[in-house]
Each structure stands twice: as C-alpha cells, then as structure tokens.
Amino acid sequence: TILGETHEEEDEILPRKDYESLDYDRCINDPYLEVLESMDNKKAQRHEAVKWVLVFAIGVCTGLVGLFVDFFVRLFTQLKFQVVQSSVEECSEKGCLALSLLELLGFNLTFVFLASLLVLIQPVAAGSGIPEIKCYLNGVKVPGVVRLRTVVCKAMGVLFSVAGGLFVGKEGPMIHSGAVVGAGLPQFQSISLRKIQFNFPYFRSDRDKRDFVSAGAAAGVAAAFGAPIGGTLFSLEEGSSFWNQGLTWKVLFCSMAATFTLNFFRSGIQFGSWGSFQLPGLLNFGEFKCSESDKKCHLWTAVDLGFFILMGIVGGLLGATFNCLNKRLAKYRMRNVHPKPKLVRVLESLLVSLTTTVVVFVASMVLGECRQMSSSSHTGNDTLSLQGMSEDVNSSIKTFFCPNETYNDMATLFFNPQESAILQLFHQDGTFSPVTLSLFFLLYFLLSCWTYGISVPSGLFVPSLLCGAAFGRLVANLLKSYIGLDHIYSGTFALIGAAAFLGGVVRMTISLTVILIESTNEITYGLPIMITLMVAKWTGDFFNKGIYDIHVNLRGVPLLEWETEVEMDKLRASDIMEPNLTYVYPHTRIQSLVSILRTTVHHAFPVVTENRGNEREFMKGNQLISNNIKFKKSSILTRAGEQRKRSQSMKSYPSSELRNMCDEHIATEEPPEKEDLLQQMLERRYTPYPNLYPDQSPSEEWTMEERFRPLTFHGLILRSQLVTLLVRGVCYSESQSSASQPRLSYAEMSEDYPRYPDIHDLDLTLLNPRMIVDVTPYMNPSPFAVSPNTHVSQVFNLFRTMGLRHLPVVNAVGEIVGIITRHNLTHEFLQARLRQHYQTI
C-alpha cells in the first residue's frame, strides 16, 4: 500500500510540456511493516543524524564552490586590468589608445565566448538560476536544473562572464550552484558519472531532495553575502511552497557551514592568518563609520527617514522600468533569437560584450572628470584593512587620463571589479561629480537591462546594488551641495539607494532586509532598510511583478502564489476541477495499461471501480454524483471516447479489442460474515477492492447509459509506478489469483529514481497483453480529497500547505467527479474561470 505523501506538482495540464513534476509519493509493500519501522527510535535517530551530516556537507561544498569562483574571477580580472592599465598609461602618452581598446576587447570577447559555449553545453545554466530554483522549490521541475553538468557549466561560466566585463554578478548563480549541490550530494550518484555509484538507498524521493535543495539555495545566499540568516529567510520567502519547522534549523546550519567555510579559506589565502574569519562572504560592504574629525556627521537621523521613503518610491519606479524593459527584451529574444540556431545566441552575447567594452572605455576617457584626492584617505584605508576588506578603497582609485594627485571618477567606477566599485560609492571620502554619477547610472542601467537574459550565466544582485548605490550617492551629493545638509553620511544614502533599486527590481522584503543588515554588520540600519524596501516593493508592485516572477511567467511555469484573492471564493472546486478523467481499475490488463500510458501524458491516474448497482437510479437523477450538472454531458462523451482510444490505440498488439464478459461470470469473493474482519485484514485475506478486469470496460456496443456509470474512487497511482510494474513484470494471469503476483519493496520501486523508464522505450514483445496487474498494493489509498462545493480558498490552502500534487474531487457517496492539479490553481486559470462565472450569472 502507498502511504500518502503527495506533493504539489502539476502533472495533468501544463502550458508547456518541458516542465515535469516531482513525485513525492512513497510506495511501500507492507503498511504494517512500515508502522513497525516507524516505531524504531534508533533507526529514526540514525536517519536524522545522517540528514545533519549531509546538510553540513552541502554547506561546506557550496562554500568551496564559492571559493573556486571567487579565486578565478579575481585572478582573471586582475590579469586583465593590469595589462589594460599599463597599456592605457603608456598609450595615453604615445597616442595609441586604440590599441588599448583592442586589448580590452580581446580579453572580454574571449571570456564571454567561453561563457556562451558553456551555456550551449547546458542551456539551463544561463541566467542567474534563481527563477529555475524558485520553480523547483515551488513544486515544478525544470529539466536539467539540478544536474552535475549544470553546476559545472554554471560555476565556470559565471567566472568567465564576470571576468569578461559584462554587467553581471556572481552572487545570483551561487544560489543555483548551492541548490545543485544540495540536490546531488545526498544521492551519491550522477548521470554524468554513471560508473561511480554508491549503495546509498536513503533520501531517494523528491520530497527529501526538495529539502536538501532548500538548504543548498540558502547556503548559496549565505556564501555570496556572508548572511546565513538571510539565506535561510530567502529560501523560505522566495523558494519553498511547503515548509516545516524541522527544516528551518537544518537550513540555518547549512548556511552557517557555507559561510564559515568560505570565510575560513578566503581569510587564510588572502591574509595568511588561518582561522581569523575576516571575510564572511563574496560581497562585503565594509564598516560604515563617520570620520572622527567630523563631529556633525551621523550615520542617519530621524529626518533622513523622509528622504529614504522618497528614495524608496523612486527606486520602485526605476525597478518597475527596469523590469518592463527587460520583459520586452525577453519576449523579443523568445520570438527572434531562441528559435534560430544556437550560434545566434553566442553572437548576441558577443555583441553585448563588444558594446559594453566600448561604452566603458569611451565613457572613462571622454566623460570622466579629474577629482582631487581626499587627504583623509589613508585613515579610511587603515580602518578598512582592519575590517578585512579584500582591496583597500583608495588603492583601487584609477588615475586614467588625469594628472598627479587627481583621479578619474568615471574610470574608478568602470575600471574596477563591481564589488570594488560598490565600496568606492559606500566609503570613498572623495567626491564623485553629479554628472558622472548620473551618466554612470544611466549607462549601467541600460546595459544591465540588456545583459540580463543573454545566453551566459549572469547574476542580477550586484549590478542592481551598484546601480542603486550610484543613485543614492547622487542624492547625497545633491542634498549636500544644493540644500546644505552637511550632516548626512554619503555612504548611508548609497546603501539606501542600493536597497531601493534592488528592492524595486526583485521585490523581496524580509530576506533582503536581513541580507543587507548582515552584509553591513550594522544593526542600526535595520529600520531605514526595511522601510525603503517596503516602499520600493509597494511602488513597483503597482506597475508589474518582480524580475524573477516575470521570467517565470514568460516560461509558462504554473507557479503558485502564497494565497488567492478574496473574490476567488465565488468559485467552488467544481468550477475549477478537470472533469475529463483518465482512470485505471484495481485489476487492469497489461494491454489496457500500456494503452493508457502511451496515449496520455498524465502523471497520476485515479483508481476506480464502476458502481453498477446504482446506475439506473443515477440516470434518473435520484443519486448525486456532481454538484455541477454542466459537466455531466462532457463526462459521458469523454469516458466513451477514452474507452475507444484504449481499445484502438494498441497497434503493437494484433488483437487489442477488449473482450466483453458478463457480470454474472465474475464472482467477487466475499469474506464469511461470521469471521472477524480485523482478523482477516491482519491475515491479509480481506480484499477491499472488487476484482474487476478491463474486459468489463464499456465496449462499442454498449449504450450511453451503460457507458456512463458512477466511478467509486479508491486511490491514486503514479505513472512512474505503473511503468516500473510493467518493466519488472509484476502481473498475474487470469487463471491465477492476485495473491500470486510478485511484490516489490520500496527500494525496488525507487531503484530507478530520479529518472524512471519511459513507456515508449518499453519492449512490448516481452509483455503478455492478457496478463493482469494488481495496482492496489502500490497506489495511494488515502489521498487528500475535497467536496465539489469546497471554496477555492480552502482548496488552495490545502493544496499548498499540505504539499499536494493531485487533489481529487469526490462527492458525498465516494464517487470521483474531477481532479485538481497545480495548473487549476494558477492565477491566470482562476481569473479565466472567474470571468466565466460572471458571464453565466
């Protein structure tokens, strides 16, 4: 018997067939044995201990992936900038700047070309990966999203993308990389490494894998920003649609392991002091501290909250504009770039790289201003060194095309790694020209919008932070110069601007607040950051959705929101259910099963018997089968058509017509009335399901009244389970009883996980079409079900909170009248049904 653990995956109707579902059901041979095993406290404790060890290993491996990416990004970036800087300094005197531009183009185009080639190997490695992981944790499996090949292409591709000068970040792909590590490490096997296999039969279900993916995604955030608590909240807020209390502690532990693993190695490599833990994440905002000589300076005051709110509004508007433009670009790519040969995607990436390089070089040479260096730079430099900064702020100042004792403010922002440019805007004591900040913001805004979505691994967090930091620094300069507010701290306004723009783009609140607080290591920034993010989200939501939700919707993924709208309660379960069912009988011939599996794409089937004794009363309308009468005619036609399809689709079998047998020839064994029913069940002599064969299915000669009989619902069986039963020859002949059918254990049923055999690859010559399969030991006999009159809000809450995958609609007498899947609960589907409801009133 299957003990019911279903999950929320869409299987019946998907707008795009590329997305499959996750099977969170368990099959078990013996329910009584399962109960006894659940009582084994020692075994349960060992199982829990293994989970803790695995989440720790996931955190450590995610930290090592971050270390690998960071090391090579710094290596390639420093090599490129050293060559270009020496060339620019030499050619600025000799007048050969064109040669310097060609050298920079050579580096960038080579790196971007390599990143694009890696995406051609594994297309799902493109982008940040956050939309794909969000879909996975919400309950939809994107093909190849958590494969070993994906994390290899992702990690190597993103270091080439960042080193190639594209306006992308490595922090977003770290979340995807951590999720892949979480999905693959507990399995101890990989399709890419088939020869390396370990006998580790535990955690071989999508339910366990989802929990480990949640931990891995949180570890990726923690490694990227040094924010373990923020990573945990990110996985909860943006990822999982189903969460339990025990998972929270494991995810936090995994995030801590990732943070301190990366911190340990980075601090040891950079400073030589192993165990000092000075660099908590890939992106560190440094210490926000006013100069001791400036007595009027404060990090922020109550008066500044008004400016922060206004900045949040502007950040929400800018984020909505960014998302709108990027959505239009994504639609254009889907129509004109993706259908063409893959080489076109590589050419687009090279075009973006070429444009970005030329803009950066020309803007630094022509639009930059020479600014005087601050005399207090050395003091700030020492402070930052004590805080373990990877590069001193003032040492990253660029003097391109400027005389001594001055620096080029535009080149300082463009010719530095993005993390160093953010630190410049946060902590540089010198000033940046308002014109420079405005032009930098505009160019970075447009190029980042164009870049996000091309066929390279690319993150969006750091470009959004840098763009917003320029906006905040511009506001601070204007307030100081034109309003005379000398007390304000420019770094605070840069941080609030970064939060406002990032919040306007991604629309995160709780997790992003905690991530920024942990990155700044300044708890006093909690209130202004929270207010700014809330205002930015509310402003942006007035116009469109967040960038990740937009890309999810463009791909047609049936993502479930947190809750439904109030007006949706005007609908009932009967209004949104799918009434056209494809079903199987408890005892079904192989011939009929193969026909069903080869002619449908459903991933689960109701197990039913026909209630023949009540058919006359039902046809008279005296017996209730559905509370929505309009589905009755369509159900009749669909059921008759399904029987014709079953009998005619099996061309591989010479005689596929089903043989009609009279009801009186079928004798159902009934237990003696005097025997104790409980004793029969314990001895496994009690059969709760009628021994019906597919030969009793309606034939072409049956009347409409005979075809449409009420279907008594007994449970759900998964496609993967049916195919496994056929592959392993689990069946019995009609001359035998169902007790002679072989029994498979849970380990045998899950041996092919996560890629079960396909019905179209099955060799039909090895099967006897007249053999019978008893599906009752493997089905889920007690799934969650709802009444046709249930409100949609109740259906939605049950589906999401209980982690369901299919939700049968069963009437008062136990007859199935429809089924609800993920697709039936999406916002678009509910809106369409609500419009139909208003039209029929």
Side-chain angles (χ1 to χ4, degrees):
T1 305
I2 302 295
L3 299 186
E5 287 188 3
T6 56
H7 192 259
E8 58 212 69
E9 306 327 278
E10 154 59 18
D11 291 304
E12 296 291 337
I13 303 174
L14 277 178
R16 292 188 61 176
K17 64 180 181 180
D18 294 339
Y19 300 104
E20 300 176 358
S21 63
L22 303 174
D23 296 336
Y24 286 156
D25 302 79
R26 289 188 304 167
C27 59
I28 207 71
N29 226 8
D30 192 341
Y32 304 101
L33 181 59
E34 177 69 5
V35 172
L36 293 176
E37 289 181 348
S38 65
M39 297 179 183
D40 189 352
N41 291 330
K42 292 184 178 180
K43 182 176 181 180
Q45 291 174 359
R46 289 196 299 269
H47 190 271
E48 189 71 9
V50 172
K51 273 192 174 182
W52 282 99
V53 173
L54 286 176
V55 295
F56 176 76
I58 291 170
V60 171
C61 291
T62 303
L64 294 177
V65 172
L67 179 68
F68 168 81
V69 173
D70 180 70
F71 176 80
F72 283 100
V73 165
R74 290 181 179 275
L75 179 64
F76 293 155
T77 303
Q78 289 177 1
L79 175 63
K80 181 184 71 174
F81 282 145
Q82 286 177 0
V83 174
V84 173
Q85 182 174 356
S86 60
S87 176
V88 169
E89 292 176 352
E90 181 180 354
C91 288
S92 59
E93 300 177 356
K94 299 180 180 180
C96 58
L97 288 176
L99 181 60
S100 301
L101 177 59
L102 290 177
E103 290 180 355
L104 183 60
L105 281 173
F107 277 105
N108 289 347
L109 292 178
T110 301
F111 288 143
V112 173
F113 178 72
L114 294 175
S116 299
L117 289 183
L118 290 170
V119 171
L120 292 184
I121 298 174
Q122 189 69 5
V124 76
S128 66
I130 296 179
E132 290 81 2
I133 296 303
K134 185 174 181 179
C135 294
Y136 189 95
L137 294 179
N138 191 265
V140 180
K141 182 169 67 174
V142 182
V145 71
V146 289
R147 291 188 59 181
L148 176 62
R149 182 187 301 176
T150 301
V151 71
V152 172
C153 295
K154 194 83 173 184
M156 296 185 64
V158 72
L159 67 89
F160 286 129
S161 299
V162 176
L166 293 177
F167 292 167
V168 298
K170 57 180 180 290
E171 282 70 19
M174 276 300 303
I175 301 173
H176 190 181
S177 301
V180 179
V181 173
L185 186 61
Q187 303 299 315
F188 288 96
Q189 65 178 9
S190 172
I191 294 180
S192 303
L193 303 174
R194 293 184 178 90
K195 296 183 179 180
I196 303 177
Q197 292 186 355
F198 297 93
N199 186 15
F200 191 75
Y202 307 102
F203 312 118
R204 296 187 60 77
S205 69
D206 280 331
R207 179 177 291 274
D208 291 326
K209 181 183 286 188
R210 179 205 58 197
D211 293 344
F212 288 123
V213 169
S214 301
V221 177
F225 297 97
I229 301 176
T232 304
L233 293 176
F234 174 86
S235 186
L236 174 61
E237 180 184 8
E238 286 295 309
S240 298
S241 59
F242 178 75
W243 196 269
N244 60 72
Q245 187 176 5
L247 183 61
T248 306
W249 188 233
K250 294 183 180 67
V251 171
L252 180 59
F253 180 67
C254 184
S255 301
M256 287 288 185
T259 301
F260 286 98
T261 298
L262 182 62
N263 198 343
F264 175 79
F265 285 101
R266 287 192 69 204
S267 300
I269 293 174
Q270 187 141 350
F271 298 105
S273 56
W274 295 90
S276 59
F277 298 104
Q278 301 181 51
L279 299 174
L282 298 180
L283 181 63
N284 189 11
F285 292 163
E287 182 184 18
F288 289 80
K289 185 177 180 180
C290 290
S291 175
E292 296 180 358
S293 60
D294 190 357
K295 302 298 182 181
K296 296 182 180 180
C297 175
H298 299 283
L299 290 182
W300 66 278
T301 62
V303 178
D304 296 336
L305 287 177
F307 296 111
F308 296 159
I309 293 175
L310 294 177
M311 292 175 65
I313 295 175
V314 176
L317 294 174
L318 292 173
T321 305
F322 184 95
N323 294 352
C324 180
L325 294 176
N326 190 264
K327 181 179 180 179
R328 293 179 179 273
L329 283 171
K331 287 184 176 180
Y332 177 83
R333 290 188 178 105
M334 293 174 66
R335 289 193 302 263
N336 301 288
V337 178
H338 293 173
K340 294 182 179 180
K342 294 182 179 180
L343 181 61
V344 178
R345 303 185 190 184
V346 177
L347 294 178
E348 183 196 15
S349 302
L350 294 177
L351 175 62
V352 173
S353 177
L354 174 65
T355 305
T356 302
T357 304
V358 172
V359 168
V360 166
F361 192 89
V362 174
S364 301
M365 182 176 62
V366 178
L367 303 178
E369 295 187 14
C370 295
R371 314 289 296 183
Q372 191 70 29
M373 292 185 182
S374 175
S375 59
S376 60
S377 61
H378 296 289
T379 302
N381 192 22
D382 295 339
T383 302
L384 290 174
S385 297
L386 294 176
Q387 294 299 319
M389 300 300 298
S390 60
E391 290 184 23
D392 296 336
V393 172
N394 294 279
S395 65
S396 60
I397 289 176
K398 302 300 180 184
T399 60
F400 290 167
F401 319 115
C402 288
N404 294 333
E405 302 299 327
T406 59
Y407 67 94
N408 189 324
D409 55 357
M410 185 72 78
T412 299
L413 297 177
F414 271 135
F415 274 89
N416 268 314
Q418 295 177 92
E419 291 82 358
S420 299
I422 291 176
L423 294 178
Q424 288 286 342
L425 294 171
F426 283 171
H427 302 291
Q428 177 57 256
D429 294 329
T431 59
F432 292 90
S433 167
V435 177
T436 298
L437 291 173
S438 301
L439 292 174
F440 175 81
F441 173 81
L442 180 62
L443 294 174
Y444 217 93
F445 180 94
L446 296 176
L447 290 174
S448 298
C449 185
W450 186 20
T451 304
Y452 187 73
I454 62 175
S455 294
V456 295
S458 56
L460 194 61
F461 274 94
V462 173
S464 299
L465 287 172
L466 180 53
C467 200
F471 159 67
R473 188 70 183 244
L474 174 63
V475 172
N477 285 5
L478 295 177
L479 292 177
K480 282 185 175 182
S481 302
Y482 297 98
I483 301 182
L485 299 179
D486 296 332
H487 73 282
I488 65 175
Y489 182 60
S490 300
T492 299
F493 277 78
L495 175 65
I496 296 301
F501 187 79
L502 182 58
V505 172
V506 300
R507 311 288 165 80
M508 294 190 301
T509 52
I510 301 175
S511 59
L512 189 55
T513 300
V514 177
I515 288 172
L516 293 177
I517 292 175
E518 288 185 283
S519 299
T520 58
N521 199 23
E522 185 63 56
I523 191 61
T524 57
Y525 281 139
L527 180 61
I529 289 176
M530 181 180 296
I531 292 177
T532 303
L533 288 176
M534 289 172 58
V535 173
K537 175 180 170 55
W538 291 341
T539 304
D541 286 342
F542 186 79
F543 298 97
N544 50 34
K545 294 184 178 181
I547 188 68
Y548 301 133
D549 292 326
I550 287 176
H551 281 265
V552 168
N553 292 336
L554 288 176
R555 300 178 187 186
V557 180
L559 199 70
L560 294 184
E561 304 292 338
W562 281 103
E563 58 185 9
T564 59
E565 299 175 0
V566 177
E567 61 178 351
M568 293 302 173
D569 266 347
K570 297 178 181 178
L571 299 175
R572 300 292 190 270
S574 58
D575 295 321
I576 66 172
M577 70 182 184
E578 174 58 45
N580 304 327
L581 303 175
T582 301
Y583 53 89
V584 298
Y585 294 112
H587 300 260
T588 309
R589 292 195 187 277
I590 289 179
Q591 168 178 307
S592 185
L593 281 180
V594 175
S595 175
I596 294 171
L597 295 172
R598 300 193 80 181
T599 56
T600 62
V601 294
H602 308 321
H603 282 221
F605 306 93
V607 181
V608 302
T609 54
E610 295 181 358
N611 190 2
R612 301 189 175 196
N614 297 328
E615 63 183 20
R616 293 185 180 180
E617 296 295 327
F618 164 72
M619 295 308 293
K620 293 178 182 179
N622 295 330
Q623 181 176 345
L624 177 65
I625 189 173
S626 174
N627 290 296
N628 197 332
I629 195 67
K630 66 181 180 180
F631 292 121
K632 205 170 274 188
K633 293 182 180 179
S634 63
S635 297
I636 296 173
L637 298 176
T638 302
R639 192 170 301 171
E642 181 192 338
Q643 297 303 329
R644 288 195 299 269
K645 180 174 61 177
R646 290 192 190 185
S647 62
Q648 296 176 359
S649 62
M650 291 305 297
K651 298 180 180 180
S652 301
Y653 293 132
S655 58
S656 59
E657 291 294 333
L658 302 180
R659 180 163 45 95
N660 297 323
M661 299 176 65
C662 299
D663 296 346
E664 54 270 17
H665 292 167
I666 304 299
T668 303
E669 296 183 3
E670 296 183 0
E673 297 180 357
K674 295 183 180 181
E675 285 194 46
D676 185 13
L677 184 60
L678 179 59
Q679 185 65 25
Q680 298 175 33
M681 295 180 64
L682 292 176
E683 295 177 1
R684 295 173 179 76
R685 291 190 290 110
Y686 174 69
T687 305
Y689 309 105
N691 194 19
L692 296 179
Y693 298 99
D695 295 23
Q696 297 169 309
S697 301
S699 67
E700 296 297 326
E701 290 77 17
W702 284 18
T703 63
M704 187 64 71
E705 178 178 345
E706 290 174 321
R707 287 196 182 103
F708 187 56
R709 293 189 173 100
L711 299 178
T712 302
F713 179 66
H714 296 293
L716 285 176
I717 185 76
L718 296 178
R719 167 183 287 268
S720 59
Q721 296 168 347
L722 291 177
V723 176
T724 301
L725 294 177
L726 293 177
V727 170
R728 295 181 176 273
V730 178
C731 57
Y732 66 96
S733 64
E734 54 187 337
S735 61
Q736 299 173 329
S737 66
S738 59
S740 63
Q741 175 177 281
R743 295 297 181 97
L744 297 182
S745 65
Y746 171 68
E748 291 174 319
M749 289 292 289
S750 61
E751 184 178 349
D752 295 323
Y753 176 84
R755 286 168 179 80
Y756 294 99
D758 188 82
I759 187 62
H760 297 284
D761 300 331
L762 192 63
D763 189 359
L764 300 180
T765 59
L766 302 178
L767 300 176
N768 184 353
R770 305 303 296 173
M771 297 290 283
I772 303 167
V773 178
D774 179 10
V775 302
T776 56
Y778 308 98
M779 72 180 184
N780 179 4
S782 56
F784 288 94
V786 294
S787 166
N789 273 334
T790 308
H791 289 275
V792 164
S793 62
Q794 294 175 286
V795 174
F796 188 91
N797 291 334
L798 176 65
F799 197 96
R800 183 175 177 108
T801 57
M802 298 309 299
L804 302 183
R805 180 174 174 229
H806 299 88
L807 186 59
V809 182
V810 182
N811 65 10
V813 293
E815 295 162 352
I816 186 169
V817 295
I819 195 165
I820 295 175
T821 61
R822 168 177 292 271
H823 170 74
N824 302 106
L825 294 173
T826 57
H827 179 75
E828 294 76 11
F829 186 88
L830 293 178
Q831 287 286 354
R833 291 293 179 165
L834 188 61
R835 287 193 295 267
Q836 294 180 6
H837 175 76
Y838 286 140
Q839 293 174 359
T840 56
I841 295 179

